[in-house]
């Protein structure tokens, strides 16, 4: 099971998602507009950065600016280089610890950090830049903006372009699979309480790129809590949970015995992905989409499949031994 602090950050990321757009940057005066529509004055060069969310840490590394980080949250676990960094609390924010790090810039996201904290940072004379991520393109744009913030524009642009190219490659592979073979997919955050994703979530983009059809993409609520009856009525062909690599899929039937009539359980098609590949809006979402594609279309992506050798990172996830 996930550590409570990790789960807290991931759930905040989903439940507090908003739709702010990309910001503009003006290198001439080092004043940038963040996703809260705030003007943030940044003294360059930026050498000391504190990250207040795991996905922002991953974006900084993807942008080639990991060496500027001097502290990350207690929930950060990727890339391995974060193991050498100091840890601070993000829920709630430990302002005293951040001040002690004497940062040039603090990175925050409204999916985890309360926007009201900007007033406290202002009183401490510490610049804080807020990101927001609603779509997959917001994530790729976030890498580029991270490069603009931290002075690694070229590396960030290359990294974002490479990820976009990888997603396009995945789409081309799944688009070649007949539409009739694209399963109806239910993505769940929790296995007991049925947290899921409503309209506008980037998760539906991942499902589509993986060659599936998300059954919750038209729900009005951004972060719906589904009922038992909803699953029984919709009868998903596949259930994908953000429950981790060690999850025992038999647990889903133990928790929901009436689902024995649902095709996903009847056909042993319940899979679990590491939550950081599905719930954390960062560069590894591409890997999450790839693993989902391997689960949805094992004949095309499994190690024994015809295309597996061209993409060794496409590996199937856990499957239930008995529905």
């Amino acid at each position: 099971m996930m550590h409570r602090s990790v789960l807290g950050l991931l759930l905040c990321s989903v439940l507090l998602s908003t739709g702010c757009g990309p910001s503009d940057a003006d290198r001439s005066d080092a004043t940038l507009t963040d996703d809260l529509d705030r003007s943030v004055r940044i003294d360059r060069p930026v050498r000391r950065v504190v990250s207040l969310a795991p996905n922002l840490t991953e974006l900084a590394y993807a942008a080639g600016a990991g060496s500027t980080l001097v502290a990350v949250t207690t929930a950060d676990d990727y890339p391995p280089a974060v193991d050498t960094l100091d840890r601070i609390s993000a829920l709630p924010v430990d302002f005293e610890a951040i001040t002690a790090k004497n940062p040039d810039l603090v990175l925050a996201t409204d999916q985890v950090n309360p926007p009201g904290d900007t007033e406290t940072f202002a009183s401490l004379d510490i610049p804080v830049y807020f990101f927001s991520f609603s779509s997959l393109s917001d994530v790729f744009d976030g890498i580029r903006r991270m490069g603009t913030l931290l002075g690694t524009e070229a590396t960030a642009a290359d990294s974002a372009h490479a990820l976009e190219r990888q997603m396009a490659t995945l789409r081309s592979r799944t688009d070649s699979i007949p539409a009739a073979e694209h399963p109806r997919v239910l993505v769940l955050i929790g296995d007991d309480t049925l947290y899921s994703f409503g309209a506008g979530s980037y998760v539906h983009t991942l499902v589509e790129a993986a060659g599936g059809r998300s059954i919750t993409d038209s729900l009005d609520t951004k972060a719906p809590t589904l009922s038992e009856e909803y699953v029984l009525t919709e009868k998903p062909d596949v259930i994908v949970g953000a429950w981790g690599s060690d999850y025992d899929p038999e647990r889903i039937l133990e928790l929901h015995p009436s689902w024995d009539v649902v095709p996903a359980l009847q056909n042993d098609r319940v899979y679990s992905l590491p939550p950081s590949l599905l719930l954390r809006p960062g560069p590894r979402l591409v890997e999450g989409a790839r693993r989902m594609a391997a689960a949805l279309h094992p004949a095309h992506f499994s190690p024994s499949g015809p295309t597996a050798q061209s993409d060794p990172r496409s590996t199937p996830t856990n499957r239930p031994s008995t529905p």
Side-chain angles (χ1 to χ4, degrees), residues 26-260:
D26 183 347
R27 285 296 306 269
S28 62
D29 61 4
T31 298
L32 298 95
T33 303
D34 72 3
D35 282 341
L36 299 181
D37 287 331
R38 300 166 51 250
S39 293
V40 181
R41 174 74 187 184
I42 300 172
D43 294 330
R44 297 180 186 278
V46 178
R47 293 193 175 94
R48 299 181 60 81
V49 177
V50 171
S51 170
L52 292 182
N55 68 315
L56 299 177
T57 300
E58 294 194 29
L59 289 173
Y61 275 98
S67 61
T68 65
L69 294 171
V70 294
V72 297
T73 76
T74 54
D76 278 64
D77 57 5
Y78 193 89
V82 301
D83 291 343
T84 64
L85 297 175
D86 289 342
R87 305 291 177 142
I88 56 172
S89 170
L91 294 175
V93 172
D94 186 341
F95 291 101
E96 184 176 355
I98 292 175
T99 302
K101 301 307 295 183
N102 192 28
D104 299 315
L105 181 64
V106 171
L107 306 174
T109 173
D110 60 356
Q111 279 102 353
V112 172
N113 314 114
D117 284 351
T118 56
E119 297 179 4
T120 304
F121 280 112
S123 68
L124 297 171
D125 196 26
I126 297 174
V128 56
Y129 186 96
F130 267 78
F131 289 81
S132 186
F133 306 95
S134 295
S135 67
L136 192 59
S137 61
D138 286 344
V139 174
F140 301 144
D141 177 68
I143 295 173
R144 294 187 175 93
R145 279 191 287 153
M146 196 70 76
T148 301
L149 284 168
L150 306 181
T152 57
E153 292 92 336
T155 301
D158 289 345
S159 179
H161 181 63
L163 290 169
E164 290 169 335
R165 191 169 56 246
Q166 291 169 30
M167 281 299 294
T169 299
L170 178 63
R171 281 182 178 279
S172 69
R173 294 173 63 180
T174 56
D175 284 349
S176 69
I177 301 171
E181 297 178 20
H182 289 208
R184 300 176 72 252
V185 179
L186 171 61
V187 180
L188 292 174
I189 302 173
D191 62 355
D192 188 0
T193 301
L194 304 175
Y195 298 116
S196 190
F197 305 87
S201 171
Y202 65 82
V203 167
H204 308 308
T205 305
L206 300 183
V207 173
E208 179 190 5
R213 294 172 289 157
S214 178
I215 67 171
T216 62
D217 63 352
S218 62
L219 297 182
D220 292 336
T221 304
K222 284 189 174 182
T225 303
L226 307 178
S227 66
E228 296 273 336
E229 290 72 22
Y230 178 88
V231 179
L232 289 170
T233 300
E234 292 296 326
K235 295 182 171 58
D237 300 311
V238 175
I239 295 176
V240 176
W243 309 317
S245 300
D246 297 331
Y247 184 81
D248 180 3
E250 291 187 5
R251 176 178 155 86
I252 199 73
L253 190 59
E254 294 173 0
L255 292 170
H256 311 281
S258 64
W259 290 7
D260 60 353

